[in-house]
Amino acid sequence: QVQLQESGPGLVKPSETLSLTCTVSGGSISSGSYYWSWIRQPPGKGLEWIGYIYYSGSTNYKPSLKSRVTISVDTSKNQFSLKVTSVTAADTAVYYCARALYDSSGYFLFIDIWGQGTMVSVSS
Amino acid sequence: DIVMTQSPDSLAVSLGERATINCKSSQSVLYSSNNKNYLAWYQQKPGQPPKLLIYWASTRESGVPDRFSGSGSGTDFTLTISTLQAEDVAVYFCQQYYSTPITFGPGTKVDIK
């Protein structure tokens, strides 16, 4: 069965760039029918959708984060990645990578598989 | 953005009793062309990622116990746990996927009374 695993630094300094990678195992990221997504959850708070990428490289970002966020895919490694620039304390959160289904019109649907999450703290 | 609200913020229910969680969207998430509600429910236990319970507002994900059920349409939705078990202690989130940005409700914490 498909599993997702996040990796990356747990501590990032303010104004620097947060970089995370999600490795997909048990299935191919290029198989189609899925959007590969990033969601974050500040400590003790709710879930915030960051954006997604299709294996072809097409992306969709949350507008309020779009200027600072880049999601990319490396199909040869079966991985997708997240970069958030100019981070502040407000970016401190557990970051989840996840797989979402999409329908025949390309609509992002629900998330059926989540990674375990990785905590990223922004602090000097 | 579609704003999702949930009520109550938390509730405590006796084992074997019913738990009811409400979710409201700021605009309808019913897509008229296919008559489907673009609404999902997730369960998140401490230290774990969310787990998909319900999609299309009322379709149970494979492997989810049938004591979990979803109902509602348009802007008002309900997740019901018919007979609360100890393992159901968790935070429950609703999510709309009618339009991007995808948005989640703030969560409802369910505890044992």
Side-chain angles (χ1 to χ4, degrees):
Chain A
Q1 72 195 46
V2 174
Q3 294 184 315
L4 285 68
Q5 180 65 58
E6 305 87 351
S7 59
L11 182 64
V12 181
K13 289 183 169 52
S15 79
E16 295 191 344
T17 297
L18 178 162
S19 297
L20 296 174
T21 296
C22 182
T23 300
V24 180
S25 59
S28 173
I29 205 169
S30 305
S31 63
S33 301
Y34 303 110
Y35 286 149
W36 303 95
S37 311
W38 289 96
I39 297 103
R40 67 183 182 181
Q41 185 173 34
K45 296 189 177 180
L47 298 159
E48 180 181 29
W49 177 78
I50 299 171
Y52 68 76
I53 191 164
Y54 189 55
Y55 78 93
S56 63
S58 61
T59 55
N60 190 323
Y61 301 128
K62 182 176 182 178
S64 61
L65 296 173
K66 189 173 183 178
S67 63
R68 298 194 296 126
V69 168
T70 302
I71 300 176
S72 58
V73 64
D74 186 335
T75 54
S76 68
K77 295 182 178 178
N78 225 30
Q79 295 175 332
F80 62 107
S81 299
L82 170 72
K83 290 188 188 299
V84 183
T85 62
S86 305
V87 297
T88 69
D91 295 306
T92 293
V94 174
Y95 284 76
Y96 295 101
C97 60
R99 186 183 84 169
L101 284 77
Y102 68 88
D103 68 8
S104 57
S105 300
Y107 275 85
F108 182 105
L109 300 180
F110 44 88
I111 298 163
D112 67 338
I113 298 176
W114 299 68
Q116 283 300 305
T118 187
M119 179 68 200
V120 178
S121 297
V122 178
S123 175
S124 55
Chain B
D1 300 5
I2 296 178
V3 177
M4 307 299 291
T5 56
Q6 289 182 232
S7 63
D9 294 335
S10 63
L11 74 162
V13 176
S14 300
L15 288 173
E17 297 299 307
R18 179 186 299 260
T20 302
I21 301 167
N22 301 301
C23 172
K24 191 175 184 68
S25 56
S26 61
Q27 65 185 74
S28 176
V29 297
L30 173 62
Y31 195 39
S32 56
S33 66
N34 60 11
N35 202 36
K36 286 185 173 182
N37 287 284
Y38 282 51
L39 190 285
W41 289 96
Y42 300 86
Q43 174 194 63
Q44 186 176 34
K45 296 181 179 179
Q48 295 185 18
K51 172 189 173 184
L52 177 65
L53 294 178
I54 303 279
Y55 54 93
W56 300 127
S58 61
T59 302
R60 204 177 300 113
E61 171 72 331
S62 175
V64 173
D66 61 7
R67 63 180 181 272
F68 290 93
S69 63
S71 62
S73 185
T75 61
D76 293 280
F77 300 91
T78 300
L79 175 69
T80 301
I81 309 172
S82 59
T83 51
L84 191 75
Q85 305 298 307
E87 61 264 33
D88 301 334
V89 169
V91 178
Y92 294 83
F93 296 94
C94 58
Q95 174 227 330
Q96 67 79 19
Y97 45 97
Y98 182 87
S99 65
T100 56
I102 304 304
T103 49
F104 295 85
T108 294
K109 185 176 182 180
V110 174
D111 272 322
I112 305 296
K113 184 186 292 183

